[in-house]
């Protein structure tokens, strides 16, 4: 397979250990596609570290053979259970980290009912106009659907 002039220049620069090379008056890098698109490995989170530790100690606990003393087995079991509890606690904290309550009372609201005076229905006026008690001239249905003869419509 014939290699182009660019390919030859690329290979020569890469073998020389150069990070960039010039070809045809333009600058190019010597990275391969796999190197350029490979995601950077991020550091493990605390939760991942605790999960790995719990899994490792659980495995050690199961593989402790007959040559292991009873004291060592009990210490391994204790460490494994402690790591598992720590992981479960961290998992619960992680799941509730972004929790927002549905309702937060305003800061001006009294903390207790002692000394606070409330009307039974503070939003209701003392006297209600009785002409609108049954809906007046509008539909008496409470679901908002108009009844026949109570609306006017246009004919298109």
């Amino acid at each position: 397979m014939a290699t182009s002039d660019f390919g030859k220049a690329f290979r020569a620069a890469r073998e020389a250990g150069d990070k960039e090379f010039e070809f045809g008056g333009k600058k190019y890098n010597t990275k391969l596609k796999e190197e350029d698109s490979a995601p950077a490995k991020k550091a493990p989170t605390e939760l991942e570290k605790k999960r790995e530790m719990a899994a490792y100690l659980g495995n050690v606990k199961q593989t402790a053979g007959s040559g292991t003393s009873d004291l060592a087995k009990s210490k391994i079991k204790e460490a494994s259970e402690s790591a598992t509890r720590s992981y479960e606690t961290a998992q619960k904290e992680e799941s509730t980290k972004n929790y927002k309550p549905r309702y937060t009372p305003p800061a001006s609201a009294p903390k207790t009912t002692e000394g606070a005076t409330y009307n039974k229905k503070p939003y209701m006026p003392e006297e209600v106009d009785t002409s609108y008690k049954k809906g007046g001239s509008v539909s008496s249905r409470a679901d908002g659907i108009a009844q026949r003869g109570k609306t006017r419509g246009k004919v298109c």
Side-chain angles (χ1 to χ4, degrees), residues 16 122 133:
K133 197 168 192 177

Side-chain angles (χ1 to χ4, degrees), residues 26-62:
K26 294 183 179 179
K27 286 191 173 186
Y28 297 93
N29 65 35
T30 58
K31 293 180 182 176
L32 295 175
K33 185 178 180 182
E34 299 87 37
E35 294 172 356
D36 197 28
S37 65
K41 189 169 183 174
K42 61 179 183 175
T45 63
E46 280 297 316
L47 186 64
E48 290 170 344
K49 288 178 185 178
K50 290 183 179 190
R51 179 178 43 99
E52 289 175 13
M53 180 59 77
Y56 174 75
L57 288 173
N59 189 23
V60 168
K61 184 173 92 172
Q62 289 178 350

Side-chain angles (χ1 to χ4, degrees), residues 3 9 12 44 56 71 73 82 102 118 123 132 137 141-142 147:
T3 308
Y56 174 75
L71 179 62
K73 286 181 182 178
S82 174
R102 290 184 183 174
Y118 296 101
Y123 54 88
Y132 293 108
S137 64
R141 291 182 61 144
Q147 291 178 338

